[in-house]
Amino acid sequence: MVVLVVDYSRPWSVMERLEHWVEVLDKHIESMKIETGEKRDVCNKLAKSLQEYCLPGTDSNKDVLLPLTEGVLDQNLGIPIAVVCTKVDSMTTLEKDLDYTDSYFDLIQWHLRKFCLKYGAGLFYLNGKESPNTDILYKYIVHKMYSLPFEVSPSVIDKDCLMIPAGWDTLQKISILNDTLRSFNLEDDLNTVLPKPLNRRTDTTREIKAEDDQAFLTRMQSLLQNQRPAGPRPNKPGLTSQSSRTALPTPSTPGAGGPGEKDGVLANFFNSLLNKKPTPGAGGPAGVRPGMSGAGAPRASAAPASPRQPSRPIPRSQSEGVPRQPSQ
């Protein structure tokens, strides 16, 4: 038995994937070089199992087998097939994101049932959360492999819980869906009819090969070395020398100028001290002695000004007749 599994969250690609794997299966059967008589026997056995199918609770006359209806088992591979659609709970996401309606889901079901009818396969809808069809699929596989009875009725009412065993479906039953598919051309492929997301990647055939660990680490090391700055390598925390600590610039306070501006202010200040001329009669130091830099000049303390002494009175006799000297 062969189970073909497709992803229902990507409904535009389900028929393409099914056709691909059936072609692979057909080529594999041809490569087995099965004798013609043996191959005819397994094909007749598969066709007979479809003719003998009957609903649970009904008796079938296995002595009189009706011929298969039109479209049933047109491609007989001689192997029982089950088509399983997973992630059927993504219908809600498709309705919300891509504006899918019931007519789109009926169109998908129409194409799937036509495919299963052609190859004599069963159809099962499963979802990732909880689905009663999971146990039913197990019973169906056991039924096909070991010819055990299968007492489960088909289910076509719930769109997300579809279960159709091989031998039950016909073209007449599928045509019931045609009333809701009048706006579609049923001959078109689903890939051209169903809406698809614009930014979704559909290429899953490209193989991604992981890079070797050592090659990756070597490449990262070369990148880090190229990005390392050309200046001296900073010391690790806790190992900074005393000289490097003193060489670091002190952080500037808000509103203050940069280091270059501070140096200029200090230089102007000391130059003004060197070029300052002493004022006659002024107390305090007469200036900075030549040969000493402004930074090394001793700081002179300002002496308090002494009170002015009154002059002695000049005798009148001496002051008269003496011409007054002009003041300089």
Side-chain angles (χ1 to χ4, degrees), residues 27-45:
K27 291 181 179 179
H28 177 69
I29 294 174
E30 293 294 335
S31 65
M32 296 175 65
K33 305 298 181 179
I34 303 176
E35 296 182 0
T36 305
E38 184 179 358
K39 185 176 181 180
R40 184 175 56 252
D41 292 341
V42 295
C43 290
N44 292 336
K45 182 179 179 180

Side-chain angles (χ1 to χ4, degrees), residues 296-314:
R299 184 176 181 182
S301 60
S306 60
R308 186 175 183 182
Q309 299 293 334
S311 59
R312 291 185 302 169
I314 303 174

Side-chain angles (χ1 to χ4, degrees), residues 2-281:
V2 176
V3 178
L4 302 178
V5 182
V6 291
D7 185 3
Y8 200 89
S9 63
R10 303 172 66 248
W12 50 86
S13 63
V14 292
M15 297 307 302
E16 180 182 356
R17 304 311 300 170
L18 287 176
E19 294 291 348
H20 167 73
W21 288 112
V22 164
E23 182 179 357
V24 172
L25 179 61
D26 190 15
K27 291 181 179 179
H28 177 69
I29 294 174
E30 293 294 335
S31 65
M32 296 175 65
K33 305 298 181 179
I34 303 176
E35 296 182 0
T36 305
E38 184 179 358
K39 185 176 181 180
R40 184 175 56 252
D41 292 341
V42 295
C43 290
N44 292 336
K45 182 179 179 180
L46 179 61
K48 184 179 179 181
S49 65
L50 300 182
Q51 292 174 313
E52 293 177 348
Y53 176 81
C54 62
L55 292 174
T58 60
D59 296 331
S60 62
N61 188 0
K62 295 184 179 181
D63 296 334
V64 180
L65 298 178
L66 298 177
L68 296 174
T69 60
E70 180 184 0
V72 179
L73 203 61
D74 288 344
Q75 189 73 23
N76 192 344
L77 299 179
I79 300 177
I81 301 175
V83 176
V84 179
C85 298
T86 60
K87 301 182 182 179
V88 183
D89 51 325
S90 60
M91 288 183 178
T92 305
T93 305
L94 294 173
E95 291 174 344
K96 180 180 178 181
D97 297 343
L98 299 177
D99 297 331
Y100 272 49
T101 59
D102 290 340
S103 59
Y104 284 114
F105 298 125
D106 290 341
L107 180 64
I108 299 170
Q109 182 186 149
W110 188 89
H111 280 274
L112 288 173
R113 291 174 66 176
K114 287 273 292 185
F115 175 86
C116 293
L117 198 68
K118 177 181 178 181
Y119 291 95
L123 180 61
F124 296 84
Y125 277 13
L126 302 180
N127 61 58
K129 297 178 181 178
E130 56 180 57
S131 176
N133 285 349
T134 305
D135 296 333
I136 297 176
L137 175 61
Y138 171 76
K139 296 178 182 179
Y140 184 79
I141 295 175
V142 173
H143 160 69
K144 286 296 182 180
M145 294 184 65
Y146 303 104
S147 300
L148 297 178
F150 183 70
E151 303 293 337
V152 182
S153 300
S155 175
V156 293
I157 298 177
D158 297 334
K159 64 179 181 179
D160 58 346
C161 193
L162 201 67
M163 195 281 292
I164 301 176
W168 176 84
D169 214 356
T170 59
L171 287 177
Q172 184 178 1
K173 296 176 181 177
I174 298 176
S175 63
I176 299 176
L177 299 173
N178 293 347
D179 295 337
T180 61
L181 304 178
R182 297 183 183 276
S183 59
F184 299 103
N185 185 3
L186 300 180
E187 300 299 328
D188 293 339
D189 296 335
L190 288 180
N191 193 25
T192 60
V193 177
L194 297 179
K196 295 180 290 185
L198 298 178
N199 58 348
R200 192 184 183 100
R201 295 184 59 185
T202 58
D203 185 14
T204 58
T205 58
R206 187 170 63 91
E207 182 181 359
I208 300 176
K209 186 177 180 180
E211 186 178 2
D212 183 67
D213 293 344
Q214 295 301 325
F216 171 77
L217 294 175
T218 304
R219 183 165 57 86
M220 290 297 103
Q221 183 182 11
S222 62
L223 291 176
L224 291 176
Q225 291 177 351
N226 294 334
Q227 294 177 0
R228 184 174 299 172
R233 185 175 181 179
N235 296 328
K236 296 183 179 179
L239 299 179
T240 307
S241 61
Q242 185 67 23
S243 60
S244 62
R245 293 179 186 174
T246 57
L248 293 176
T250 57
S252 58
T253 57
E261 185 178 351
K262 288 184 177 182
D263 295 341
V265 172
L266 292 175
N268 293 335
F269 171 73
F270 289 114
N271 289 331
S272 64
L273 293 179
L274 293 173
N275 299 329
K276 185 177 181 181
K277 295 181 180 181
T279 304

